[in-house]
Amino acid sequence: MESAYIIETIVKVVIILTVFSALAGITTYFERKVLAFMQRRLGPMHVGPYGILQVAADGIKLFTKEDIVPQNAVKPIFKIAPVFAAATAFIAMSGVPFLPEFTLPFTDYVVHPIVADVNIGILFVVGVMAVGMYAPLLGGMASHNKWSLLGAARTVIQMLSFEVVTGLSLIAPLMMVGSLSLIDINNYQEGGIGHWIVWAQPVAFILYLISGYAETNRTPFDLLEHEAEVVTGYATEYSGMRWGLFAIGEYANMFTVAFIASLVFLGGFNPIGIIPGGLAILLKVSFLIFLFLWVRAAWPHIRPDQLMWLCWKVLMPLAVVNILITGIVLI
Amino acid sequence: MEAIAFYLFSVITIGMFAIVVFSKNALYAMSALAGGMIAISGFFFMLDADFLGAVQIIVYTGAVMALYAFGMMFFDTTKDVKENIKEDKIVNALWISAVVILIVIVSVPFVSDHIMLDASTSDYKVIGANNPQAVGIFLFTKYLVQFELAAVMLLVAMIAGIILVSKKMDISLTTTVEEKIEKEEFDIKDAK
């Protein structure tokens, strides 16, 4: 039993790593296509049919690029920073139940599609994603470059501020469920679309989405790598696969945010009518990822001062009032 | 299995904190501090205290992050910090022996047989129920006084921080500095 458990865990870890690394690449393709169609152009078209092989071409380019380390950089920290970005993104995923339980075909072996079923799942995921902010920070500070330092400084203010909104917006639905386990939260919403928490907590859902966009540096809030102001922020000195690891971390975090949003607010992996649960959650996550791209096409950047104003004067008071009202209603 | 994990995390934690103390580069020290704090959460997870483990990660991420911010403002983090410490052997000997004595005083009762933790009786059973709930029940029943005292202390610290920062909040520093510069330029022109 013990060895079976270890083998199962290792298999799950390998599957998650490969699937989401590949998805990070494929999502860049879809991102370019969706943006292109929304802006009435074609996007990547030349490499393969409809530009599908663009992903492979980008991958080869990233792997074969020269790996440059600046002369005055703090070399060990500079080299290890991108690893933090990818590692924390994937460690956070170990607490996420991706699909409902299923038995392997032709056997009666039950698979739980979650790596570590800790009973404080959501706290662990949010916490480890927060550790991910060390990656841009360390990279920026070790680069010995003014743009990188400014990018790192923006990382601290943006991510620490929106961390507060993420936490507060998740507290209200957690109060309703009375558990921090993502599986308990999912089971609370059994029984069709009417039981989804989003109907009871629409404010919390929108707040969580907004802060999720800010924490994954997606466009209206991608100030820490704003081309016009700070070149590419913390990533200015990075090239090749080290830069690629930052990108993989960002896209993996996008998927984690999408999974958490669909588990906590959109009914998780409960079946909708005739659609089985596993397909249902994949559809929800795909829609949320599409929403990420849609927002990127539709909204311009905002200024840093507007970002702080939005976080501390609008979103945080809203989240606190939401918790207060939820508490009064529950009592 | 558990023994391997324990020794692994012990080595990581002690190694990280050793780097914090001995490194001359602010960036190394702060990164090692963050790593050590996260390694400590491993012990909580091993003891099945999942809630405390996650809280350890979340709280210390934020706390060490504040140190980084200070580091960014005050030092060039890519260069070594020049330390000028005057070694005082008597003081060193005194504080090291004081620390050793304190540790012995605190840890001897656990080693000896006279005091035993009674696991079978009373509150200890509650922990089995559900982790965050157990922490909540303990904080608001058995340890209520300590909990409230800690809360009051944090409040005092927060108010003190606000007062320290906001000494001159009724004057805008930016405009005063600009006025000062303009005045100085005016004086220089006058002198000419």
Side-chain angles (χ1 to χ4, degrees):
Chain A
M1 190 59 213
E2 181 79 350
S3 60
Y5 173 74
I6 292 173
I7 293 170
E8 190 192 330
T9 309
I10 291 173
V11 169
K12 279 182 209 164
V13 168
V14 171
I15 289 176
I16 288 177
L17 274 177
T18 45
V19 164
F20 282 98
S21 308
L23 269 179
I26 296 165
T27 314
T28 56
Y29 171 73
F30 280 111
E31 177 163 14
R32 291 170 73 173
K33 274 293 186 193
V34 169
L35 282 181
F37 288 142
M38 285 190 177
Q39 296 159 354
R40 290 202 165 184
R41 50 193 179 82
L42 288 171
M45 282 301 280
H46 292 290
V47 194
Y50 295 100
I52 287 176
L53 293 178
Q54 186 70 47
V55 181
D58 283 345
I60 293 167
K61 187 195 82 177
L62 275 182
F63 273 108
T64 52
K65 230 176 178 180
E66 188 190 351
D67 176 33
I68 302 166
V69 180
Q71 195 178 14
N72 289 326
V74 184
K75 291 188 179 66
I77 305 276
F78 181 85
K79 285 177 182 167
I80 208 170
V83 180
F84 280 140
T88 50
F90 286 117
I91 292 171
M93 281 183 173
S94 67
V96 179
F98 292 101
L99 299 168
E101 290 174 13
F102 60 91
T103 47
L104 279 182
F106 311 118
T107 52
D108 48 354
Y109 191 78
V110 183
V111 178
H112 305 267
I114 174 170
V115 176
D117 185 9
V118 280
N119 63 12
I120 40 102
I122 189 157
L123 209 59
F124 179 78
V125 175
V126 170
V128 176
M129 272 180 73
V131 177
M133 78 173 97
Y134 277 108
L137 182 61
L138 288 176
M141 288 176 80
S143 291
H144 201 267
N145 177 322
K146 288 194 178 72
W147 307 125
S148 303
L149 195 64
L150 285 173
R154 286 187 174 191
T155 317
V156 186
I157 54 166
Q158 176 172 335
M159 296 216 178
L160 269 183
S161 311
F162 277 89
E163 198 66 22
V164 175
V165 182
T166 317
L168 289 178
S169 68
L170 282 174
I171 283 176
L174 292 179
M175 279 159 64
M176 287 174 62
V177 181
S179 168
L180 290 168
S181 161
L182 280 166
I183 294 175
D184 284 353
I185 295 169
N186 173 74
N187 294 342
Y188 177 84
Q189 306 173 67
E190 266 173 343
I193 296 178
H195 291 75
W196 289 4
I197 291 183
V198 67
W199 308 126
Q201 295 286 352
V203 181
F205 178 60
I206 292 166
L207 288 176
Y208 179 73
L209 274 191
I210 293 176
S211 55
Y213 283 35
E215 278 191 57
T216 47
N217 320 331
R218 298 299 302 179
T219 304
F221 309 114
D222 63 341
L223 299 168
L224 36 141
E225 35 182 334
H226 195 317
E227 290 87 352
E229 292 166 12
V230 287
V231 195
T232 42
Y234 62 86
T236 306
E237 296 286 357
Y238 282 92
S239 66
M241 209 49 216
R242 290 192 198 284
W243 181 86
L245 280 176
F246 277 123
I248 288 176
E250 182 182 325
Y251 282 93
N253 271 333
M254 265 169 70
F255 277 98
T256 314
V257 167
F259 266 104
I260 295 282
S262 40
L263 277 168
V264 175
F265 294 101
L266 300 178
F269 46 75
N270 291 306
I272 317 169
I274 52 161
I275 306 174
L279 190 62
I281 190 167
L282 291 184
L283 285 174
K284 287 165 196 164
V285 169
S286 320
F287 172 72
L288 287 172
I289 294 289
F290 175 70
L291 203 65
F292 270 106
L293 310 182
W294 190 359
V295 168
R296 175 164 179 183
W299 287 86
H301 300 289
I302 60 172
R303 289 200 314 264
D305 62 317
Q306 289 172 329
L307 183 81
M308 288 296 111
W309 173 83
L310 179 73
C311 177
W312 292 107
K313 291 194 176 169
V314 182
L315 298 183
M316 204 199 62
L318 264 180
V320 173
V321 169
N322 189 37
I323 291 173
L324 199 69
I325 293 171
T326 313
I328 291 169
V329 170
L330 281 180
I331 289 169
Chain B
M1 195 73 181
E2 201 148 87
I4 299 171
F6 175 77
Y7 285 112
L8 181 71
F9 279 117
S10 312
V11 170
I12 294 176
T13 312
I14 294 171
M16 286 293 179
F17 286 127
I19 295 175
V20 175
V21 179
F22 292 120
S23 171
K24 279 184 181 169
N25 186 318
L27 205 50
Y28 286 156
M30 287 189 293
S31 316
L33 185 63
M37 291 295 185
I38 289 166
I40 286 178
S41 78
F43 294 112
F44 287 114
F45 284 114
M46 265 191 294
L47 293 169
D48 285 332
D50 299 341
F51 180 73
L52 287 181
V55 167
Q56 166 88 14
I57 294 178
I58 294 174
V59 168
Y60 282 100
T61 318
V64 180
M65 195 60 67
L67 277 182
Y68 271 106
F70 283 120
M72 240 189 290
M73 283 187 278
F74 295 129
F75 307 112
D76 180 356
T77 44
T78 53
K79 297 217 173 69
D80 284 357
V81 178
K82 275 179 198 151
E83 296 180 58
N84 38 359
I85 305 163
K86 284 162 200 152
E87 299 259 336
D88 194 334
K89 277 174 190 164
I90 299 171
V91 175
N92 280 351
L94 277 178
W95 75 254
I96 290 173
S97 49
V99 167
V100 170
I101 291 169
L102 255 179
I103 291 172
V104 169
I105 290 171
V106 175
S107 59
V108 157
F110 292 104
V111 180
S112 73
D113 296 334
H114 296 295
I115 302 170
M116 294 270 283
L117 282 174
D118 197 354
S120 57
T121 55
S122 73
D123 325 311
Y124 201 71
K125 281 178 189 166
V126 189
I127 290 178
N130 198 343
N131 232 311
Q133 284 173 12
V135 173
I137 290 169
F138 268 89
L139 277 185
F140 286 101
T141 53
K142 196 177 172 191
Y143 299 108
L144 182 65
V145 177
Q146 290 91 324
F147 180 67
E148 291 295 332
L149 275 178
V152 170
M153 263 174 69
L154 283 177
L155 189 67
V156 170
M158 195 172 79
I159 293 171
I162 293 171
I163 289 172
L164 282 178
V165 171
S166 60
K167 260 179 193 163
K168 288 178 182 169
M169 266 208 166
D170 47 337
I171 317 161
S172 165
L173 281 174
T174 345
T175 49
T176 38
V177 171
E178 274 170 10
E179 275 167 16
K180 215 177 167 186
I181 293 169
E182 273 169 18
K183 204 186 161 209
E184 274 168 10
E185 279 174 356
F186 194 72
D187 289 346
I188 293 166
K189 271 182 193 169
D190 256 13
K192 277 177 184 173

